[in-house]
Amino acid sequence: MSQMDERIRSYVLFFKALSNSTRIAIIDLLRRGGDKTVSEIARELGFEQSRVSHALRCLTFCGFLTNRREGKNKIYSLNRETIEPLMEIADKHIEAYANHLRRCEVLRR
Amino acid sequence: MSQMDERIRSYVLFFKALSNSTRIAIIDLLRRGGDKTVSEIARELGFEQSRVSHALRCLTFCGFLTNRREGKNKIYSLNRETIEPLMEIADKHIEAYANHLRRCEVLRR
DNA sequence: TTATCATATGACGAATATGTCACAGATGGA
DNA sequence: TCCATCTGTGACATATTCGTCATATGATAA
């Protein structure tokens, strides 16, 4: 990764941010259910709070989420400008190729 | 990965296919330069042929590329229906957040 | 057939990413 | 202040992914 064309490097980071189940589950949850606090996300997804915090940190840093504090809570929101059209394309592609994606050996089990 | 909601699993696979430098470099190359054979791709990117073949296999299987044989060669083409709008969104996001992406510690070096 | 070029595949070590644990920091109420 | 609640962070073992090597397969021509 160190010695890689800058454009390619950016693409890799962009897609890598979205290619983890914790992170994409959070995006999917917020896309469907709107803004949520950390503990709401953790509870609704059944994930440990620290796992969620790590994921939120990455997604926020990379520009996919924003947050605002409200008392003891922190509320996370989607950057819908990127996420909405992106997920629509993903949905459409998956509709056509889900079986193939699932059976791809390179992207293991 | 095994015990994961099917929708989330599909998203992960979709984005994982694009989150590797070999695979996204190939997509970027074909996007800019049009259809190419395996050895052209290998030469132009400076990658080993087997490395390219592994990547092509994954991308083709997952519906991002198609191929046709022409004599001894195999020519790979983009599925532009998915790739073009997807990369436009990525480009736009990267234009705004490239610095953040680069400095994200979670997505290491 | 054999030779040669082009591409594909399997296996494995090395590199990388992930989740968990333990703990730290922040906030607000009593 | 102290306490309870909510969120963030660092480190590490585990799990996953990648690229390379060796080799196999496919295609063409002589």
Side-chain angles (χ1 to χ4, degrees):
Chain A
M1 187 96 175
S2 313
Q3 39 159 2
M4 192 192 303
D5 181 284
E6 272 306 311
R7 175 176 49 257
I8 298 304
R9 180 181 171 79
S10 295
Y11 285 142
V12 168
L13 293 169
F14 177 87
F15 290 115
K16 192 162 280 189
L18 303 167
S19 69
N20 163 268
S21 63
T22 308
R23 295 193 291 267
I24 202 71
I26 290 172
I27 286 178
D28 183 67
L29 183 70
L30 298 187
R31 186 180 174 216
R32 298 166 171 276
D35 303 357
K36 292 190 187 297
T37 68
V38 177
S39 44
E40 283 172 340
I41 295 170
R43 179 165 37 76
E44 294 182 30
L45 293 178
F47 295 159
E48 292 217 347
Q49 172 264 315
S50 70
R51 179 178 173 186
V52 172
S53 276
H54 279 302
L56 291 171
R57 175 181 166 82
C58 172
L59 290 171
T60 304
F61 203 85
C62 294
F64 296 105
L65 301 180
T66 58
N67 65 66
R68 61 184 190 280
R69 193 170 266 287
E70 200 155 283
K72 279 185 278 193
N73 297 311
K74 221 162 189 177
I75 302 178
Y76 283 82
S77 315
L78 278 187
N79 167 3
R80 293 199 179 258
E81 191 180 339
T82 296
I83 292 296
E84 202 44 57
L86 191 71
M87 296 303 275
E88 281 171 21
I89 294 166
D91 285 335
K92 194 172 160 198
H93 187 91
I94 288 166
E95 206 177 332
Y97 297 101
N99 288 327
H100 287 81
L101 285 165
R102 253 182 264 122
R103 291 188 298 128
C104 182
E105 306 140 358
V106 174
L107 318 169
R108 275 204 185 147
R109 76 199 79 166
Chain B
M1 186 96 175
S2 313
Q3 38 159 2
M4 193 193 301
D5 182 285
E6 274 304 311
R7 175 176 51 257
I8 298 306
R9 182 182 169 78
S10 295
Y11 285 142
V12 169
L13 294 170
F14 177 87
F15 289 116
K16 193 162 279 188
L18 303 167
S19 70
N20 163 268
S21 62
T22 308
R23 296 194 291 267
I24 201 71
I26 291 172
I27 286 177
D28 184 67
L29 183 70
L30 298 187
R31 186 180 175 215
R32 296 165 173 276
D35 303 357
K36 294 191 187 294
T37 67
V38 178
S39 43
E40 283 172 339
I41 295 170
R43 180 167 36 74
E44 295 182 30
L45 293 178
F47 294 160
E48 293 217 348
Q49 173 264 316
S50 70
R51 177 177 172 187
V52 171
S53 277
H54 280 302
L56 291 172
R57 175 181 166 81
C58 171
L59 290 172
T60 305
F61 203 85
C62 295
F64 296 106
L65 301 180
T66 58
N67 64 66
R68 60 186 192 280
R69 195 168 263 287
E70 200 155 282
K72 280 185 279 194
N73 297 312
K74 220 164 191 177
I75 301 178
Y76 283 83
S77 315
L78 278 187
N79 166 5
R80 292 197 181 260
E81 192 179 339
T82 296
I83 293 296
E84 203 44 57
L86 191 70
M87 296 302 275
E88 281 170 21
I89 294 166
D91 285 335
K92 194 172 160 199
H93 187 91
I94 287 167
E95 205 177 333
Y97 298 101
N99 287 327
H100 286 82
L101 285 164
R102 251 182 266 122
R103 291 187 299 129
C104 181
E105 305 140 359
V106 175
L107 317 170
R108 278 209 186 140
R109 73 199 73 174

